[in-house]
């Protein structure tokens, strides 16, 4: 579709992207190892937080299944109580976070999520 890109990379190339970019690879089937180096830098509170919530155009969401919409969610930790997609690609409803953890965040940070 209009929002999917397959970068053309060769052995030894480097690919740089934001963690906010939905990304993945096909299963590795070669006999040799594939190695990945991950460097992350983000201001406190902007990675895996509610500070980054994209708003997709309605036309981009029309006709999508719940699983497809879940994949479009921004980066997050499971504590965020949001839907996700399981290993088989099926939509999964949000997992409830333990009440004591949410209460801790509300007490310390003044909101449910820091």
């Amino acid at each position: 579709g209009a929002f999917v890109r397959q970068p053309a990379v060769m052995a030894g190339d480097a690919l740089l992207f934001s963690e906010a970019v939905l990304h993945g690879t096909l299963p590795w089937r070669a006999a040799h190892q594939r190695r990945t180096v991950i460097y992350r830098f983000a201001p406190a509170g902007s990675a895996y937080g509610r500070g980054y919530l994209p708003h997709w155009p309605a036309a981009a969401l029309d006709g999508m299944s719940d699983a497809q919409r879940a994949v479009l969610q921004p980066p997050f930790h499971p504590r965020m109580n949001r839907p996700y997609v399981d290993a088989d690609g099926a939509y999964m409803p949000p997992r409830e976070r333990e009440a004591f953890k949410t209460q801790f965040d509300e007490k310390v940070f003044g909101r449910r999520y820091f």
Side-chain angles (χ1 to χ4, degrees), residues 8 11 13 16 26 29 31 40 50-51 62 71-72 81 89 94 109:
D13 285 353
L16 306 176
L26 294 173
R29 300 196 190 283
R40 293 182 59 203
R50 290 189 180 230
D62 285 347
V71 170
L72 290 176
N81 295 342
F109 302 108

Side-chain angles (χ1 to χ4, degrees), residues 2 14-16 22 25-26 29 32 38 44-46 49 63 73 75 77 83 85 90 95 99 101 104-105 110 114:
L15 178 62
L16 306 176
L22 178 65
T25 64
L26 294 173
R29 300 196 190 283
H32 61 280
I38 300 174
S46 67
Q73 294 288 320
H77 187 277
V85 177
R95 293 183 211 163
K101 291 181 180 179
F104 174 85
D105 285 351
F114 59 89

Side-chain angles (χ1 to χ4, degrees), residues 81-104:
N81 295 342
R82 294 195 292 193
Y84 63 100
V85 177
D86 70 11
D88 296 322
Y91 170 83
M92 300 298 293
R95 293 183 211 163
E96 287 299 318
R97 189 169 180 231
E98 295 94 332
F100 78 92
K101 291 181 180 179
T102 301
Q103 291 166 0
F104 174 85

Side-chain angles (χ1 to χ4, degrees), residues 21-87:
V21 173
L22 178 65
H23 59 281
T25 64
L26 294 173
W28 187 248
R29 300 196 190 283
H32 61 280
Q33 288 185 339
R34 173 174 58 189
R35 297 193 178 187
T36 303
V37 177
I38 300 174
Y39 289 97
R40 293 182 59 203
F41 173 80
S46 67
Y48 300 106
R50 290 189 180 230
Y52 174 80
L53 290 177
H55 298 284
W56 297 97
L61 301 175
D62 285 347
M64 286 190 175
S65 68
D66 287 340
Q68 290 167 325
R69 287 175 184 254
V71 170
L72 290 176
Q73 294 288 320
F76 69 96
H77 187 277
R79 74 170 183 274
M80 304 305 273
N81 295 342
R82 294 195 292 193
Y84 63 100
V85 177
D86 70 11

